[in-house]
Amino acid sequence: MECFKKILADFLLKVSNDKIFTILVNIICMLLKSRSRIVKKGSKWEIKDEQYALPHRNRFLFYVYGLERRYAKLLSEYLVEDLNVPKGSIIVDCGANAGDFSNAIIERYPGVNIIAFEPGEDEYDCCIQNIKKSLFIENKALGDKTGKAEIFINNEHADNSLIDFKGS
């Protein structure tokens, strides 16, 4: 399935017309019996009926089966689905991207507080819209030095970083 998704994503991302791209993605969602649909609102992308913002159109594959499934996958991948997190705990999301992990934590552990950091402008804008509750969201990166740094963008995997993995 991962191979199929990669081939499908590569094909769809070559479609330059946003309207055709949207139609194709939504047809694929219907064929997969998914209720998820994407729409373009101005220069931004959203999951329809969820009012959930996507920083880039190529992130649609993360959400084909909906937000709940995306959240469950994140909790499992990060090995946090069975932690004991008391109400009132503060969780720091470093590199919050569009807010998926923060929202997964909020849904799994009601009563926690989120402090999120996201340096990417588009991703930060999505965090502001998407994160259900937080103490604050800061448009900054975290690192071992104070100052400005180049951020390496990886839209395919949603892994922006201060480290250039492609150049290593």
Side-chain angles (χ1 to χ4, degrees):
M1 185 62 155
E2 288 303 314
C3 183
F4 170 73
K5 283 172 54 175
K6 174 77 172 125
I7 291 168
L8 184 61
D10 287 346
F11 166 74
L12 287 172
L13 294 176
K14 290 178 181 161
V15 176
S16 59
N17 182 295
D18 287 341
K19 194 169 196 160
I20 293 171
F21 173 84
T22 303
I23 291 167
L24 290 173
V25 167
N26 291 331
I27 288 171
I28 289 165
C29 288
M30 286 187 288
L31 291 173
L32 293 171
K33 296 182 172 57
S34 168
R35 292 178 298 162
S36 291
R37 303 291 183 269
I38 65 166
V39 294
K40 186 169 186 192
K41 292 191 173 183
S43 63
K44 302 286 183 195
W45 293 87
E46 278 190 5
I47 299 173
K48 187 177 180 180
D49 299 329
E50 301 272 0
Q51 286 75 48
Y52 201 82
L54 306 178
H56 306 283
R57 75 180 200 168
N58 59 336
R59 304 265 176 92
F60 75 93
L61 276 179
F62 292 138
Y63 309 94
V64 167
Y65 294 106
L67 289 174
E68 285 183 27
R69 192 152 164 192
R70 169 74 174 145
Y71 294 166
K73 185 174 182 185
L74 284 172
L75 293 172
S76 175
E77 285 177 356
Y78 289 112
L79 306 174
V80 296
E81 58 196 339
D82 295 320
L83 293 177
N84 180 15
V85 181
K87 287 184 180 180
S89 294
I90 297 174
I91 306 291
V92 180
D93 188 351
C94 304
N97 207 283
D100 296 2
F101 181 75
S102 291
N103 282 331
I105 291 291
I106 289 166
E107 283 198 8
R108 177 69 177 93
Y109 303 104
V112 300
N113 296 294
I114 300 291
I115 297 174
F117 294 90
E118 176 48 56
E121 288 294 327
D122 292 335
E123 290 82 358
Y124 172 76
D125 290 343
C126 290
C127 277
I128 296 295
Q129 178 176 333
N130 294 342
I131 295 180
K132 296 173 183 169
K133 71 171 197 166
S134 66
L135 294 177
F136 70 87
I137 303 167
E138 190 70 33
N139 188 210
K140 295 189 185 306
L142 296 180
D144 61 351
K145 296 179 183 117
T146 301
K148 295 190 181 259
E150 183 176 2
I151 296 175
F152 299 94
I153 307 296
N154 183 343
N155 286 327
E156 183 178 341
H157 298 288
D159 291 328
N160 301 340
S161 179
L162 294 172
I163 300 167
D164 182 8
F165 291 107
K166 289 183 181 177
S168 354

